[in-house]
Amino acid sequence: MADTEWQHRYNRVEDGKVCFLQGSHFNCRIPMLVPCLINMSGHIEWGIPDHEGSTEQELVDLVATGDESTLFHLAGEERLPPSIYVALFDTGNAGVLGNLATGADVPRSVIEGIVARGGAAGELARVNDNASPETKDTASIGELSYRSLHLYLEERGATEAQRKHVLDAFEATGPGPGGPLLGEVWRAATARG
């Protein structure tokens, strides 16, 4: 099978204890956080079980009996019942928590629980779109996505002037993390009225 823009050949590269996949068409290394096989032609075959169509009880059983790899993959799935995200959180597994921390469909209660636990997963969860405004207040404005800021402003009931102040501060930070804490920017915006 010929490579296309969607199918790239990869080589497994060992770098200390971390295994990477390195693409042959670009100079990029992807951390292998998930189990995969590289078939004879060099294409990735992901070892992710298909959970589409599983009942909630089957997913509960999978969380209870699944190995670390399965739980990690399940934590990255979208549109799971909220109870499954809670059960995955309850495992306390660092990789699972890290995957949940960035999930678009993970309920706020789980995101806030990850933030409360701290660590690297807590830092990621702080800027999740589903994090509470109070949690987002503790992040530098540049760490947040544009969507996350809009959700924040909506939840805060921001006026047009407050929106403009916050979004101007976001734009002023330039690309990438940095800038003042969002809470400080919000307090300045509300002081202006």
Side-chain angles (χ1 to χ4, degrees):
M1 173 184 280
D3 288 343
T4 67
E5 66 179 285
W6 300 107
Q7 296 174 318
H8 297 285
R9 297 172 79 87
Y10 293 87
N11 299 309
R12 190 177 165 116
V13 178
E14 296 290 333
D15 183 13
K17 292 185 177 182
V18 179
C19 185
F20 289 89
L21 297 178
Q22 186 160 339
S24 61
H25 292 25
F26 49 90
N27 190 16
C28 171
R29 290 171 18 137
I30 304 166
M32 253 182 64
L33 299 173
V34 295
C36 68
L37 301 172
I38 301 173
N39 67 22
M40 296 304 284
S41 66
H43 290 91
I44 296 176
E45 294 179 2
W46 298 101
I48 303 172
D50 182 15
H51 305 296
E52 192 79 22
S54 296
T55 67
E56 188 168 349
Q57 185 56 53
E58 289 170 334
L59 292 172
V60 167
D61 293 344
L62 185 60
V63 170
T65 62
D67 62 11
E68 186 173 356
S69 172
T70 300
L71 296 178
F72 177 85
H73 290 294
L74 190 58
E77 293 284 329
E78 295 179 352
R79 297 179 300 279
L80 292 173
S83 64
I84 302 305
Y85 291 118
V86 171
L88 287 163
F89 169 76
D90 288 342
T91 68
N93 178 285
V96 170
L97 294 176
N99 215 1
L100 289 172
T102 60
D105 293 331
V106 178
R108 178 171 284 174
S109 62
V110 172
I111 294 298
E112 296 298 321
I114 295 169
V115 169
R117 285 187 182 208
E123 290 299 309
L124 289 171
R126 245 174 6 127
V127 297
N128 184 295
D129 290 351
N130 297 331
S132 70
E134 296 76 20
T135 294
K136 290 177 187 176
D137 279 341
T138 66
S140 70
I141 194 166
E143 290 179 279
L144 296 157
S145 70
Y146 197 68
R147 180 177 188 274
S148 190
L149 277 176
H150 279 281
L151 291 170
Y152 173 89
L153 293 169
E154 188 176 294
E155 285 192 68
R156 289 285 192 201
T159 65
E160 281 305 310
Q162 291 167 337
R163 280 183 174 284
K164 182 174 178 357
H165 181 85
V166 171
L167 293 175
D168 285 349
F170 176 72
E171 294 295 329
T173 64
L181 295 179
L182 178 57
E184 293 171 4
V185 173
W186 177 248
R187 281 188 291 283
T190 57
R192 289 181 162 190

